């Protein structure tokens, strides 16, 4: 889309083409960012999904640039150029807050296409998870760097689509950062380096949890149209993936990261006791098997007045040494860690773009989302499910499990409405 607006190749385009050719010839990371090391830069930024997190993410992005400017003496300028939301009013509200001209604030199912036509350099995505694979694919095809909130899909075809677009981003030298913000916290990174360097042994077992009270509406919606799915999207499995995908993904991400792989299979329980709105479960408990006979207990619950715990604990093959001797380089040594990881993830994204470094978190966040989908479907069906039959084997029973309505259905207007209380019954 951006190309058609600039028919005559600019100096920037010429340099980019040269860099591409050079990269390809050397067989290295294909795009050496043309403007790498150019630390006085203006970035045009667009936002898709203008709710709480979207507004927050754009603010974090601007703060991240200021932080890099102060810390490293850079002169980055963030210019918000477009906003998009299913509800145009929300796009306009965000536009007002971030000084985007009203005519660049778009609504509707195709708002992301109009946002991309404004030729941003970076796109921030905080729309409901069902839309993420399609919107991400469009961003990468259009050659944009992306910050994507988690989770990045709700079903296996969506996960594969996201991973494929992530691979394309790599080939094009585009940076992708994800809202799995623990990956941008110093404490979590330190432990990852300790595992890598053998300061502690490999993970042999673990438990991860997001147990808390109810956080979304529990008044039945009785949907009359797509607005009733796109507004309170959190309570619909087809929009959010259920709370195991939407929220517990953060803890599962740590398990995958520290174990260094995705699971082999999951056997899980779950059900709904107190919710009356939407079609999610209240709780899940999963036995998650990783390669090499490593088992992790995954738990998540969103009902009040119960035991709450959010965190990750692991048993290591070798107990923690008294003295820490990490020798590997900290991935974020130069820019450092912002005390607020929500800002840090944007600082690391901007840093990588400016330095021409590879930063691509697409596969990590897709695998973590997929892990949550695996456990969810095991609980919904009452079956133990393998990763292979869900994500890899085209003949696998769950490989083509596509939730409806899909992202495309919202664009074509062919939206099947959902029903409060219409939940999956294990074993049936
Ligand atoms: N990393 C974190 O800690 C964290 C925290 C909160 C939310 N999130 C994630 O951020 C995302 C947004 O959450 P939120 O809390 O901002 O929700 P929200 O409901 O406040 O915002 C979502 C916005 O997306 C809009 N939307 C709906 N359909 C759309 C479409 N087709 N195209 C564009 N926009 C559309 C909605 O109208 C709404 O304004 C979710 O994926 C959520 O999981 C992450």
């Amino acid at each position: 889309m951006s190309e058609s607006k600039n028919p005559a190749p600019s100096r920037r385009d010429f340099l980019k083409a040269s860099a591409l050719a050079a990269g390809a010839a050397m067989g290295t990371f294909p795009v050496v960012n043309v403007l790498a090391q150019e630390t006085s830069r203006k970035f045009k930024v667009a936002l898709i999904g203008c709710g709480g997190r979207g507004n927050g993410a754009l603010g974090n992005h601007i703060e991240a640039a200021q932080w890099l400017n102060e810390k490293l003496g850079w002169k980055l300028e963030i210019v918000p150029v477009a906003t998009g939301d299913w509800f145009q009013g929300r796009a306009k509200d965000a536009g007002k807050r971030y000084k985007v001209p009203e005519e660049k604030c778009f609504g509707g199912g195709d708002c992301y296409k109009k946002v991309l036509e404004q030729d941003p350099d970076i796109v921030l995505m905080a729309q409901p998870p069902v839309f993420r694979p399609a919107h991400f694919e469009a961003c990468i095809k259009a050659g944009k760097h992306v910050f994507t909130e988690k989770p990045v899909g709700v079903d296996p075809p969506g996960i594969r689509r996201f991973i494929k677009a992530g691979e394309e981003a790599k080939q094009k030298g585009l940076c992708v950062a994800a809202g799995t913000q623990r990956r941008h916290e110093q404490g979590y990174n330190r432990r990852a380096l300790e595992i890598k360097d053998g300061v502690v042994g490999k993970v042999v077992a673990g438990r991860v949890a997001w147990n808390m009270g109810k956080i979304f509406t529990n008044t039945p919606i009785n949907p009359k149209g797509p607005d009733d799915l796109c507004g309170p999207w959190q309570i619909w499995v087809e929009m959010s993936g259920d709370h195991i995908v939407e929220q517990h993904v953060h803890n599962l991400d740590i398990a995958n990261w520290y174990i260094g792989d995705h699971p082999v299979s999951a056997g899980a329980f779950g059900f709904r006791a107190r919710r009356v709105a939407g079609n999610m479960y209240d709780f899940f408990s999963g036995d998650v098997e990783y390669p090499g006979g490593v088992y992790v207990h995954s738990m998540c619950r969103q009902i009040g007045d119960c035991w709450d715990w959010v965190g990750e604990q692991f048993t290591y093959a070798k107990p923690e040494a008294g003295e820490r001797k990490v020798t590997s380089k900290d991935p974020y040594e130069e820019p450092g860690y912002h005390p607020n990881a929500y800002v840090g993830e944007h600082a690391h994204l901007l840093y990588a773009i400016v330095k021409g470094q590879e930063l691509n978190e697409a596969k990590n966040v897709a695998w973590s989302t997929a892990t949550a989908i695996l456990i969810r479907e095991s609980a919904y069906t009452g079956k133990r499910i393998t990763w292979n039959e869900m994500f890899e084997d085209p003949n696998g029973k769950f490989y083509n499990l596509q939730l409806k309505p899909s992202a495309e259905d919202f664009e074509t207007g062919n939206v099947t409405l959902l029903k409060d209380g219409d939940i999956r019954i294990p074993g049936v």
Side-chain angles (χ1 to χ4, degrees):
M1 283 172 201
S2 56
E3 287 89 329
S4 62
K5 295 187 122 203
N6 295 309
S10 62
R11 178 173 173 274
R12 195 177 278 205
D13 292 334
F14 172 75
L15 285 170
K16 197 170 202 163
S18 313
L20 265 168
M26 290 185 299
T28 55
F29 186 52
V31 175
V32 178
N33 191 319
V34 245
L35 299 174
Q37 307 297 340
E38 193 179 306
T39 55
S40 300
R41 283 181 71 175
K42 198 181 269 195
F43 285 113
K44 291 183 282 172
V45 177
L47 173 65
I48 303 173
C50 305
R53 189 78 279 277
N55 275 280
L58 185 46
N60 296 148
H61 194 78
I62 293 167
E63 193 180 337
Q66 287 162 352
W67 185 71
L68 289 173
N69 289 348
E70 281 163 25
K71 212 173 150 67
L72 303 175
W74 291 4
K75 287 186 182 145
L76 304 182
E77 191 189 341
I78 303 299
V79 185
V81 292
T83 59
D85 195 287
W86 175 264
F87 300 101
Q88 194 176 17
R90 294 188 188 179
K92 285 186 181 172
D93 287 347
K96 241 181 239 159
R97 176 171 295 147
Y98 291 108
K99 301 191 175 61
V100 176
E102 197 174 320
E103 66 277 14
K104 306 289 182 193
C105 303
F106 305 101
D110 62 351
C111 65
Y112 69 102
K113 291 181 180 161
K114 294 176 186 155
V115 159
L116 287 174
E117 282 165 12
Q118 309 316 308
D119 199 20
D121 303 301
I122 304 171
V123 179
L124 316 182
M125 303 203 305
Q127 69 285 69
V130 60
F131 299 110
R132 210 95 71 210
H135 293 190
F136 180 60
E137 184 184 83
C139 289
I140 299 306
K141 285 214 178 321
K144 311 304 174 193
H145 301 286
V146 172
F147 166 78
T148 170
E149 259 309 339
K150 45 42 66 174
V152 296
V154 296
D155 53 27
I159 292 297
R160 285 190 296 272
R161 189 174 181 181
F162 193 93
I163 290 177
K164 194 164 170 232
E167 288 303 318
E168 188 181 331
K170 235 177 229 173
Q171 283 154 19
K172 288 182 165 175
L174 298 169
C175 294
V176 180
T180 33
Q181 65 270 14
R182 285 161 171 73
R183 298 239 184 193
H184 300 272
E185 285 182 29
Q186 187 165 28
Y188 280 101
N189 274 282
R190 194 169 277 164
R191 176 43 55 105
L193 291 177
E194 285 168 354
I195 296 169
K196 186 166 177 248
D197 290 353
V199 175
V200 295
K202 287 187 172 152
V203 170
V204 291
R207 57 178 188 156
V208 295
W210 198 304
N211 294 336
M212 65 178 290
K214 136 185 123 53
I215 52 171
F216 305 124
T217 180
N218 199 17
T219 305
I221 302 286
N222 189 17
K224 308 273 185 311
D227 286 5
D228 294 328
L229 306 184
C230 288
W233 60 270
Q234 296 94 337
I235 64 170
W236 303 110
V237 173
E238 292 74 3
M239 305 296 288
S240 69
D242 209 320
H243 65 93
I244 187 168
V245 177
E246 199 275 326
Q247 193 171 52
H248 186 39
V249 64
H250 285 296
N251 318 105
L252 293 166
D253 185 52
I254 302 304
N256 286 0
W257 183 15
Y258 287 4
I259 292 168
D261 214 332
H262 62 69
V264 175
S265 71
F269 300 95
F271 209 60
R272 155 170 170 134
R274 290 170 47 188
R275 269 183 221 272
V276 288
N279 58 1
M280 297 202 300
Y281 276 9
D282 285 340
F283 57 86
F284 294 87
S285 171
D287 171 59
V288 189
E289 181 193 2
Y290 284 84
V294 174
Y295 288 85
V296 171
H297 183 190
S298 137
M299 296 172 263
C300 59
R301 179 170 57 201
Q302 278 186 358
I303 50 179
D305 300 319
C306 298
W307 169 58
D308 289 346
W309 177 54
V310 178
E312 310 87 19
Q313 287 178 340
F314 300 98
T315 304
Y316 300 93
K318 187 174 93 181
E320 196 168 337
E323 199 188 336
R324 297 186 170 190
K325 291 189 208 116
V326 167
T327 50
S328 293
K329 195 170 179 315
D330 183 329
Y332 298 118
E333 192 176 273
E334 191 186 0
Y337 295 88
H338 192 282
N340 176 353
Y342 284 103
V343 179
E345 57 203 11
H346 291 274
H348 295 152
L349 173 66
L350 288 168
Y351 183 86
I353 295 171
V354 170
K355 288 279 190 175
Q357 291 177 353
E358 183 174 349
L359 174 67
N360 190 314
E361 299 190 306
K363 194 161 139 195
N364 294 342
V365 69
W367 274 12
S368 305
T369 306
T371 301
I373 293 171
L374 180 76
I375 305 168
R376 179 195 75 196
E377 287 302 319
S378 174
Y380 283 175
T381 57
K383 312 281 182 223
R384 189 160 194 110
I385 302 180
T386 65
W387 182 274
N388 183 54
E389 67 185 320
M390 182 166 262
F391 299 109
E392 289 170 348
D393 176 5
N395 297 315
K397 196 170 165 200
F398 299 90
Y399 187 85
N400 290 316
L401 176 78
Q402 159 98 61
L403 303 191
K404 297 288 270 179
S406 67
E408 278 73 18
D409 293 339
F410 284 90
E411 283 189 66
T412 58
N414 182 27
V415 175
T416 320
L417 292 181
L418 304 168
K419 289 193 198 119
D420 297 287
D422 190 8
I423 61 166
R424 304 268 296 278
I425 309 291
V428 175

